[in-house]
């Protein structure tokens, strides 16, 4: 697990290039894997993502350029190993969403978390079926949903309390030999009030306030791939011309990155 600074806060004004770099499904996925599973080489990550080693190597270098990953201690000195620099990436939803240039980032990360949830559910069920987890985990585990009426202030308070309680419990159980890795998700999604015909009513808000800071973790860890690709216009996208193609990538075949439309995925965070 990452052992450096626990959190990196992205400012859309100061970290515009970093936000663009992270607005990419494969990069969020790679960052999440390093956070969840620890240091790895581009070749190891290539096998787990079904991507070419040229592709994973290229995207890891982009993540390193913007301070999300760094070189780790090499096992044998033959291939560079990478580690996540932070356990969590966070940002202010309102600040990021205010810029049309960065709104795609919110779309990427939220869909990455949904993909991460699906992948985690599959692994959880497989671990239970194979008795890799004991029966004592059946009762406390699962997925639930609530439908509440809250103000923006109450929703923000709810998310803050949840995060604080989760951190306190994790600290308490850190040295307990019975503890296992647990993937925990939180979501608070306001929906516009609708009439009996399910038509949204007019905006009734009398004031606005920034949305609570959002965290992405293992934003973004190992997850299934979707059939669409993010639209990525930043300068660190896999090049489209032979002259800009990474040295170990076929000139006419830049890394093709399946993933959530614009995963990151990080606490994923992550991203």
């Amino acid at each position: 697990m990452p052992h450096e600074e626990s959190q990196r806060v992205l400012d859309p004004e100061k970290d515009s290039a970093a936000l663009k770099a992270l607005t990419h499904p494969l990069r969020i996925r790679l960052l999440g894997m390093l956070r969840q599973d620890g240091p790895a080489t581009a070749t190891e990550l290539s096998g787990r993502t079904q991507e070419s080693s040229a592709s994973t190597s290229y995207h890891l270098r982009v993540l390193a350029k913007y301070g999300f990953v760094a070189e780790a201690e090499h096992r044998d000195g033959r291939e560079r190993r990478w580690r996540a620099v932070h356990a969590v990436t966070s940002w202010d939803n309102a600040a990021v969403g205010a810029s049309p240039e960065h709104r795609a980032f919110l779309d990427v990360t939220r869909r990455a978390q949904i993909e991460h949830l699906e992948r985690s559910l599959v692994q959880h069920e497989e671990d239970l079926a194979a008795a890799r987890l004991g029966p004592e985990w059946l009762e406390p585990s699962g997925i639930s949903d609530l439908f509440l009426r809250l103000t923006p202030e109450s929703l923000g308070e709810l998310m803050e309390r949840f995060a604080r309680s989760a951190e306190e419990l994790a600290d308490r159980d850190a040295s307990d030999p019975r503890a296992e890795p647990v993937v925990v998700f939180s979501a608070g999604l306001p929906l516009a009030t609708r009439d009996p015909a399910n038509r949204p009513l007019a905006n009734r808000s009398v004031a606005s306030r920034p949305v609570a800071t959002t965290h992405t973790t293992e934003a973004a860890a190992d997850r299934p791939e979707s059939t669409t690709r993010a639209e990525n216009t930043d300068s660190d996208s896999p090049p489209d011309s032979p002259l800009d193609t990474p040295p170990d990538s076929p000139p006419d075949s830049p890394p093709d990155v399946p993933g959530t439309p614009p995963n990151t995925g990080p606490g994923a965070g992550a991203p």
Side-chain angles (χ1 to χ4, degrees):
M1 297 296 293
H3 56 276
E4 266 62 27
E5 303 92 338
S6 62
Q7 177 173 302
R8 177 180 179 181
V9 180
L10 295 178
D11 183 318
E13 293 186 4
K14 299 178 181 178
D15 302 309
S16 179
L19 277 169
K20 288 183 181 180
L22 206 56
T23 307
H24 196 292
L26 182 56
R27 292 174 198 162
I28 295 178
R29 185 177 183 187
L30 294 173
L31 179 57
M33 287 180 171
L34 294 177
R35 286 175 172 172
Q36 181 167 305
D37 303 321
T41 67
T43 299
E44 291 168 341
L45 294 170
S46 170
R48 291 163 53 189
T49 59
Q50 303 302 305
E51 296 284 340
S52 70
S53 59
S55 176
T56 54
S57 178
Y58 171 79
H59 289 294
L60 286 166
R61 292 197 301 271
V62 174
L63 289 171
K65 176 180 178 181
Y66 293 102
F68 294 104
V69 305
E71 285 192 52
E73 182 179 352
H74 295 195
R75 286 180 180 170
D76 52 20
R78 290 183 298 177
E79 185 174 2
R80 183 182 300 176
R81 295 182 65 77
W82 299 95
R83 61 174 175 83
V85 175
H86 311 91
V88 175
T89 303
S90 65
W91 58 89
D92 185 279
N93 280 341
V96 174
S99 168
E101 184 180 16
H102 299 313
R103 285 175 193 158
F105 174 75
L106 296 179
D107 193 32
V108 174
T109 53
R110 288 172 176 174
R111 282 164 173 74
Q113 295 290 14
I114 294 173
E115 296 285 346
H116 182 26
L117 171 60
E118 293 175 347
R119 186 57 170 251
S120 299
L121 177 59
V122 170
Q123 182 176 333
H124 167 71
E125 292 173 340
E126 291 176 349
D127 288 343
L128 284 173
R132 290 188 288 265
L133 291 172
E136 68 274 12
W137 287 102
L138 279 172
E139 181 61 30
S141 64
I143 300 174
S144 63
D145 65 282
L146 299 172
F147 194 73
L148 310 173
R149 291 187 64 84
L150 300 173
T151 64
E153 293 77 15
S154 293
L155 176 57
E157 182 180 346
L158 175 62
M159 302 302 283
E160 291 171 2
R161 287 188 184 185
F162 177 86
R164 185 167 58 250
S165 295
E167 185 175 353
E168 291 172 354
L169 291 171
D171 289 342
R172 187 188 70 183
D173 292 350
S175 60
D176 192 321
R178 300 175 303 133
E180 297 279 6
V182 177
V183 181
V184 179
F185 296 86
S186 63
L189 305 175
L191 305 175
T193 300
R194 284 165 163 73
D195 65 16
N198 199 34
R199 293 172 300 197
L201 300 179
N203 186 353
R204 300 178 302 150
S205 299
V206 296
S208 61
R209 70 185 289 272
V211 181
T213 300
T214 300
H215 303 274
T216 181
T217 69
E218 112 42 220
D222 194 4
R223 55 187 161 275
E225 300 171 1
S226 68
T227 57
T228 56
R229 176 175 175 174
E231 184 66 28
N232 189 16
T233 58
D234 70 276
S235 59
D236 293 302
S237 301
D240 294 322
S241 65
L243 293 177
D244 292 331
T245 303
D248 49 356
S249 181
D252 58 349
S253 302
D256 187 22
V257 183
T260 49
N263 63 207
T264 123

